[in-house]
Amino acid sequence: MMRYSRIVQKPGQSMYIASTAVFLAEVLKIIACLFVMYRQQRYWSKFILVVRNEILGKPAETAKMLIPSSLYALQNNLLYVALSNLEAATFQVTYQMKILSTAIFSVVLLGRSLSRSKWLALVLLMIGVTLVQSQSMSTPPPDDTVQSPFIGLVAVITSCISSGFAGCYFEKILKTSETSMWVRNIQLGISGAFFSLVGMLMYDMQPLRQGGMLQGYDWLTWVVIGNQALGGLLVAIVVKYADVILKSFATSISLILSSAISFYFFDFQLSMQFVVGACIVILATYNYSVPDKKVLTPPTATTKPH
């Protein structure tokens, strides 16, 4: 959906500015979290008190979220750059490196220990997701679209690295403090909106002056923004109660389910690559969920004194 919104425009319609979409997604995320907090408190006075004490009254806690928020802002902007400069096939294959990047950072930052079978499951997941998405790899960009493969490749690799580090850092923050997940998401959104706003003003000031912030927007653009914002909140829930590696598996399974829904409602044609890829993803998910066998060491013989 994101790539479609970047390469398809109506006659005479200009392309929307990607940095504005990233900024508005962060703003929408903050609004959604504030709404959930208000529903939890039920009274306006309690809601204001929580906002004052947990968000405005703790700038040091908000500062902790500067690292992941800046990386998420960078990642979101780089995704738009990559999608605008790479063929679908190259993007889908290289972007799956975020799975291994997340696993590596989970070992380094979170101290996890992954067995050979789990590393194998992660590699299988990368292969399976690539095959599942290969069905959409044949869609070429319009003839008048200027692409730079080198810029797109650098953008997608940097996005994968920042995604893995930011996800593991965010999981560590969520699970090592008693602060509400919604408060953490607001703190993340505030700093993320700040970085997105700075990037938007630095790099897109000229087109903003010429056409305004909402130039090129249509209903699909707003759907993409809403999906980015609310999808980020769902990711936070998964990270809070599971972990970032399981989030990768959940995302892959959701990709298969969405394709199955498209098969029944949108005339989506299944290919052999899709079926094989889906089977590999399911196999990888099962393989990763199986507990590692514990190696039992035989008891050492003790010599009794005579």
Side-chain angles (χ1 to χ4, degrees), residues 3 6-7 15 18 78-87 91 141 145-148 152:
R3 184 175 188 273
R6 292 296 293 166
I7 64 175
M15 181 182 294
L78 287 176
L79 279 181
Y80 285 103
V81 174
L83 288 164
S84 301
N85 289 280
L86 286 179
E87 296 290 338
F91 173 79
T145 301
V146 179
Q147 293 185 321
S148 175

Side-chain angles (χ1 to χ4, degrees), residues 29 32-33 36 72 170 174 181-182 185 188 226-244 246-248 250-251 254:
K29 187 188 302 181
C33 290
V36 172
Y72 281 134
F170 187 46
L174 281 179
M181 179 184 65
W182 303 109
N185 273 286
L188 186 67
N227 182 66
Q228 287 291 100
L230 300 181
L233 296 179
L234 290 177
V235 167
I237 295 174
V238 173
V239 170
K240 172 69 175 178
Y241 298 104
D243 59 58
V244 286
L246 291 178
K247 181 205 72 175
S248 300
T251 303
S254 68

